Amino acid sequence: MPAQDPRRAPPLFPRSILAGPTLDAARALLGARLVRAPDDSGGTRRVGRIVEVEAYIGEEDRASHARMGPTARNGVMFGPPGAAYVYLVYGMHHCLNVVTEHAPRPAAVLIRAVEPLEGADAMRAARDAASGRARPAPAAGEARGTASAMIPAPARRYVADARLAAGPGLVAAAFSVDRSHTGIDLCDPASPLRLEAAPAGERTWAVEATPRIGIGYAGEPWASVPWRLIVTGSPALSGRRR
DNA sequence: GCAAAGATTTGCT
DNA sequence: GCAAATCTTTGCC
């Protein structure tokens, strides 16, 4: 089989899929790549394979942030597909969503877990930064601004590469995503954070559907609809391991 | 203007 | 297995 031309542009994730029904988009996002371009927060490119997502569909979905209509927080959900929607939960964790369907219908897919493929070290550093474990050294008198001086992170429990982004808050932390990313176009190859399609020929994977996590307040049927989709058997799925 | 809960993660009991 | 950490957004007075 011929080697792929390395100069070829990365396979973009098609916006047309995100513009379609949200459950179809969610299914298609499994296996796709979440890509973080190199920047100040991490010197290397970070890439992860999406293995767990949840769909939030329409104003009628009582588990969705769109349930109370457009607000300052959720406004981007009512906009065009492909935009990032990032919010803060529990006052400390960020969650990354991909906006789906056509404006003004509000819908999005929450990226709950990815399998690291590139840049695991940068992901570890970003997690430490997000959790405040590695802090900038205190300014010493007039010699301020030595941004490279960092207090080493205290010892912490070992985390396997596959578990670095095994949860929605961890995905955002590992990829240095926060609310400032809300509204950026995830289908634009120039965006610092973007989606890419899985390489052609990558083998297919089994998918399972389960109820969504942590939305019991929504009541039925919303609490039970199987709108959480996972790649069967992935070591990077959210939740505590046995 | 204030009180309550949240699309989570972690560490300790 | 349970509770703390932490702050924005929403709901009600």
Side-chain angles (χ1 to χ4, degrees), chain A residues 48-115:
Chain A
R49 175 175 175 260
I50 298 172
V51 295
E52 176 176 342
V53 297
E54 280 178 359
Y56 291 85
I57 311 174
E59 234 172 286
E60 66 274 20
D61 179 356
R62 303 310 287 172
S64 172
H65 286 175
R67 63 186 180 276
M68 62 289 285
T71 68
R73 176 174 69 159
N74 66 20
V76 69
M77 284 185 75
F78 292 76
Y85 168 46
V86 184
Y87 63 88
L88 183 66
V89 275
Y90 299 111
M92 59 191 81
H93 300 295
H94 294 277
C95 292
L96 170 65
N97 296 257
V98 182
V99 173
T100 58
E101 306 199 23
H102 292 286
R105 177 160 169 81
V109 174
L110 170 67
I111 307 299
R112 285 191 58 90
V114 309
E115 248 176 55

Side-chain angles (χ1 to χ4, degrees), chain A residues 159-183:
Chain A
V159 178
D161 282 4
R163 307 296 301 163
L164 286 173
L170 299 178
V171 169
F175 283 76
S176 304
V177 172
D178 60 39
R179 285 179 296 172
S180 72
H181 294 92
T182 288

Side-chain angles (χ1 to χ4, degrees), chain A residues 101-162:
Chain A
E101 306 199 23
H102 292 286
R105 177 160 169 81
V109 174
L110 170 67
I111 307 299
R112 285 191 58 90
V114 309
E115 248 176 55
L117 298 176
E118 295 178 36
D121 290 342
M123 293 182 196
R124 288 178 191 282
R127 280 166 49 110
D128 287 342
S131 65
R133 294 186 77 81
R135 295 176 302 280
E142 302 186 359
R144 302 182 318 185
T146 51
S148 61
M150 300 290 282
I151 296 175
R156 88 186 288 177
R157 177 186 285 277
Y158 171 75
V159 178
D161 282 4

